[in-house]
Structure formats: C-alpha cells, structure tokens
Amino acid sequence: MASLKQNVVSALCKHLSVDPSSFASDLGSDLKSLCTRILKSSQNGDANLNTDDLMKWIGFTESFLEISDDRSKSFKELNEELSTKSTLIGSGLKPSAADVIVFSAVHSSVIGLSSSDRAQLPHLLRWADYIHNKEDLGQLFEKLSLEKVQFAPPVLKPVKKVEDSSGKKPVQEGKSNGKKIPQEAKEVKSNEKKTPQEAKEASSSETDSKVKKSADTKKVEEGQAKTEKKKPAEKEKDNKDEELSVSLLRIQIGRIRSARKHPSADSLLVEEIDVGEAKCRQVVSGLANYCTPEELTNRLVVLITNVKPGKLRDMMSEGLVLCATNTDHTAVEPLIAPDGAKPGEYVTFAGHDGKPEEVLNPKKKQLDKITPHLFTDEACVATFKGIPFMTSSGPITSSFPKASIK
C-alpha cells in the first residue's frame, strides 16, 4: 500500500507542477490528508478543494487501496461511471486531479488484468489509456498494452461493363471469283434454279423472315428508347450522391490562438484560429457551457473552412469547429487532432477524393445532408459513414464512443 500511495503522490505532484520531495515525510498520513496538503500547495489549491466530486474520488481511492484481494467490484463501479464520460470530473478536455489520483492507484492492478477481464471493462481501459497519454506519465507508470482497432478503407467494387444488347448481326458475305457479294444476291441467284413452286415457297419464307426481323428490330429500338429515358434519372441520382459526399467539405486542422467570451451571448465563445493562412480566422462557437477560454487556447481543433461566412449575434464567424456530443447530450468537446498534425493540414477520407466547394451553398443544404453521417465509432475515432477522418499523423479522435459530430 505504501508504494501505491507513493505513486499517487508522484503523479499528483506532476499534474500540479509541485515538488514531490516536500511530501516524502508525509507518506504515513491518510490519503485524504496527504492529497489535501498537496492540492493546497498548488497554484489554485483552494479552488481545487472546493468540489464534493473530488472528495468522493479520493474516498474511492482510499477504499480501493485497502482492498487486498478481489478488486473486481471497484473496477466494475469505475467502468460504469466512465461509460458516458471521458474523465471523472470536468468537461473531458483535460484530466482532473481526481483522474490522476484514481489512475495512479488502480494502474498496477489494471496492468495485471487478464484478456477476458479487460473485455468486460472497455470504458475503464479507454480512460486509463487516455489519462496515461494525456498526462505524459510514461516515466512513472508502465504503458498499458491495448489492442486498438485497425482501420481498413472499404474496397470499391469494379463496375461491370454492360454488354451491347442491340441484337444486330453483321451482314453475311459470300465470295464469287474472288469478289464479295451480298447474301441477298446469293439468295436471288439460288432461287433462279428452283421450280416456280419452290421459288414461291422460298419467297414466302423470305417475306416471313423479313417481317420477323423487322419486329425484332422494332423491339430493340423500343428497348433503346427506354434506356435513353432512364439516363436522366440515373444522372439525377449521381448528382444526389455527389451532394452527399464528404469531399464537398473543406475540413482542416486549426490551432486556437486565443478565445474569449462573446460580448452579448453567454453560450458563445469567440476564437481566433490559425489554419495556415496569412491571418487567423475568427470563429464563433457554442462551447461556453462546456469549455473555458483557457482550456481552448493553443488547442488543436478540426474545423470546416468553406462554410459561408456570417454573423452570429453581431460577431463575424468564418468557420465551423467540429465537436462530438456524448450519447445523453450532457457533454460536448471539440474533436481531438493527433500530435504532429499541422495547422492548415487537410483532413482526408479514403475513397472520397473529390474537390471541395469553394463556398458551401446554404440553399442546397449540403451540410445538413452530410453531418448526419458524421459520428465516432466504438474506438472513439471520428468517421464519415464509418470511414475515418485521417491526417498525416493518424486519425482524428474524440473522448466519446458512438457520438454524433456537428
């Protein structure tokens, strides 16, 4: 238990940028008192302590450390708590002190879980992987080995070549003294050698054959006419599919250089976003109830840059920041760009290589038709109809599985 308590102290001090050596002599204290002293010594110590949720999770950690054998009940409780959250406390944009405390206590037990046990705790493992990487705790804790879903772009099926069904046959030709003569001339010459009765029967048979051929030709022509009538409908369908393609959207990586509250709307924030252009774009987002300006500043985001610019409550907006919403619509967060992605970089989709519109036409409602197909999968990867949002550094993700994206 002492070593686990030491893990908690080291991780929490790193999270709060506090010197852990100041608390080396306090390891004999109970965990609540020890965490309280560390939190008070940080820059925003008093603010950190003014939350019942934090005390709840410190109490959970104390109870967990006292269990010496079967901790499966605690794991199930934690997994259920995280089924609709990306972090234990807060909006999910960054880990809280409670997340770091609980993570450092359960880490060694999670590492030792069997494959069958891990399969029963998907939310716990997702959260542990997120906290470990987000807090950069590689020097303090062994990295969790997780089997993550590999994405294979769908293979496009080749279009079969339509056979010519006109039914036309090449004109048969015969030879006479090295010269080609039409088949009809051969038939006339053959009839000259027949008796009058035979010639009459042959002529009648020839007439019937010509009538039949004429009827067949008429059917083929009618079929061709029907095919011609279908072409406009097929073209209309192709245009409809083109309108629904995600390639119409110009989706880019941006970095929020500054964010502030909207002067006349409490639910809106105004951000200055760098997308690799000569100057930053001003974007108005409805994130004020979910993120603070400080949390968004210097954050990489994913945004649509070819929406028609317009004013939101008298403030010009030149883009749309894409966000994920959890299943019960209680939390919203901007999509997470991978480390290494650069401002201005274009997001791509396998099999959708069309050219984006210069500016989306609001009258065509293109965005309204495409956004219902944007969602995160079970592995929290952002997709269009299951095809991942991709950058040169990997896929775009979220903290929420099976979330809608708008």
Side-chain angles (χ1 to χ4, degrees), residues 112-163:
L113 289 173
S114 65
S115 299
S116 57
D117 288 337
R118 289 187 176 205
Q120 302 300 317
L121 304 167
H123 307 299
L124 170 59
L125 290 171
R126 166 184 54 78
W127 166 81
D129 182 60
Y130 174 63
I131 302 302
H132 186 277
N133 289 289
K134 193 73 174 176
E135 284 293 300
D136 191 21
L137 297 172
Q139 294 180 348
L140 298 176
F141 299 96
E142 179 184 347
K143 184 171 178 61
L144 289 167
S145 177
L146 299 181
E147 293 184 7
K148 297 185 180 180
V149 179
Q150 298 295 319
F151 298 98
V155 179
L156 298 177
K157 295 182 179 180
V159 180
K160 292 183 179 180
K161 186 177 180 181
V162 180
E163 297 288 339

Side-chain angles (χ1 to χ4, degrees), residues 247-293:
S247 63
L248 293 176
L249 307 182
R250 187 166 67 235
I251 304 177
Q252 293 178 265
I253 303 297
R255 184 179 294 279
I256 299 178
R257 296 301 182 185
S258 67
R260 65 185 186 278
K261 292 184 178 180
H262 193 289
S264 59
D266 293 339
S267 63
L268 301 179
L269 293 178
V270 183
E271 303 115 14
E272 298 294 327
I273 304 180
D274 176 9
V275 290
E277 298 172 337
K279 65 175 184 175
C280 291
R281 288 186 177 225
Q282 179 172 282
V283 176
V284 180
S285 303
L287 290 170
N289 294 330
Y290 306 99
C291 313
T292 65

Side-chain angles (χ1 to χ4, degrees), residues 29-95:
S29 306
D30 64 275
L31 186 66
K32 183 176 181 180
S33 300
L34 183 56
C35 290
T36 300
R37 282 197 290 274
I38 296 173
L39 288 162
K40 279 187 174 181
S41 68
S42 65
Q43 187 175 1
N44 298 316
D46 293 333
N48 289 330
L49 291 169
N50 290 334
T51 161
D52 293 336
D53 286 339
L54 178 58
M55 293 299 115
K56 165 191 168 182
W57 288 111
I58 292 177
F60 171 90
T61 306
E62 277 188 312
S63 301
F64 182 87
L65 294 178
E66 290 172 359
I67 301 172
S68 57
D69 46 6
D70 186 11
R71 290 168 167 165
S72 58
K73 184 178 179 180
S74 298
F75 283 146
K76 287 179 182 177
E77 179 186 343
L78 193 53
N79 185 70
E80 186 176 350
E81 181 76 25
L82 291 163
S83 62
T84 58
K85 297 179 178 179
S86 56
T87 55
L88 295 173
I89 299 177
S91 64
L93 291 176
K94 62 180 182 179

Side-chain angles (χ1 to χ4, degrees), residues 5 7 22 41 68 82 94 122 148 151 173 179 183 212 226 233 243 281 322 324 353 360:
K5 192 181 288 186
N7 289 343
S22 305
S41 68
S68 57
L82 291 163
K94 62 180 182 179
K148 297 185 180 180
F151 298 98
E173 296 179 348
K179 296 181 179 180
Q183 182 67 20
K212 185 177 180 181
K226 288 180 180 179
E243 287 179 1
R281 288 186 177 225
L322 290 175
D353 302 323
L360 295 176

Side-chain angles (χ1 to χ4, degrees), residues 183-394:
Q183 182 67 20
E184 291 83 0
K186 289 177 68 178
E187 291 173 356
V188 171
K189 189 173 181 181
S190 174
N191 287 339
E192 289 176 356
K193 297 179 181 179
K194 296 179 181 179
T195 64
Q197 181 63 27
E198 290 173 338
K200 184 176 179 181
E201 290 175 356
S203 177
S204 175
S205 175
E206 182 180 345
T207 301
D208 291 342
S209 177
K210 287 181 179 179
V211 170
K212 185 177 180 181
K213 285 182 179 179
S214 177
D216 290 343
T217 302
K218 186 176 180 181
K219 287 181 180 179
V220 170
E221 289 174 349
E222 288 175 352
Q224 289 175 338
K226 288 180 180 179
T227 302
E228 291 297 325
K229 287 180 180 179
K230 289 180 181 178
K231 285 183 179 180
E234 290 173 357
K235 185 175 181 181
E236 183 179 341
K237 184 179 178 182
D238 290 342
N239 290 339
K240 185 178 179 181
D241 290 340
E242 183 182 346
E243 287 179 1
L244 292 175
S245 174
V246 72
S247 63
L248 293 176
L249 307 182
R250 187 166 67 235
I251 304 177
Q252 293 178 265
I253 303 297
R255 184 179 294 279
I256 299 178
R257 296 301 182 185
S258 67
R260 65 185 186 278
K261 292 184 178 180
H262 193 289
S264 59
D266 293 339
S267 63
L268 301 179
L269 293 178
V270 183
E271 303 115 14
E272 298 294 327
I273 304 180
D274 176 9
V275 290
E277 298 172 337
K279 65 175 184 175
C280 291
R281 288 186 177 225
Q282 179 172 282
V283 176
V284 180
S285 303
L287 290 170
N289 294 330
Y290 306 99
C291 313
T292 65
E294 292 75 22
E295 288 174 331
L296 291 177
T297 301
N298 289 323
R299 177 189 171 100
L300 285 176
V301 290
V302 183
L303 67 160
I304 301 173
T305 56
N306 63 338
V307 292
K308 187 175 181 179
K311 287 187 176 182
L312 288 176
R313 298 292 294 270
D314 298 325
M315 297 292 286
M316 180 59 70
S317 183
E318 302 173 293
L320 177 65
V321 175
L322 290 175
C323 299
T325 305
N326 65 352
T327 51
D328 57 1
H329 302 285
T330 57
V332 176
E333 69 166 11
L335 293 180
I336 302 170
D339 292 339
K342 305 295 183 185
E345 179 178 346
Y346 287 84
V347 175
T348 61
F349 301 82
H352 293 269
D353 302 323
K355 185 179 179 182
E357 295 276 274
E358 189 65 31
V359 178
L360 295 176
N361 187 343
K363 292 182 179 179
K364 292 184 178 180
K365 299 186 181 297
Q366 295 157 311
L367 197 57
D368 293 339
K369 295 175 183 177
I370 295 172
T371 49
H373 302 291
L374 304 180
F375 55 88
T376 63
D377 60 18
E378 293 180 351
C380 300
V381 172
T383 74
F384 167 73
K385 294 184 177 180
I387 302 172
F389 286 51
M390 290 299 297
T391 70
S392 60
S393 300

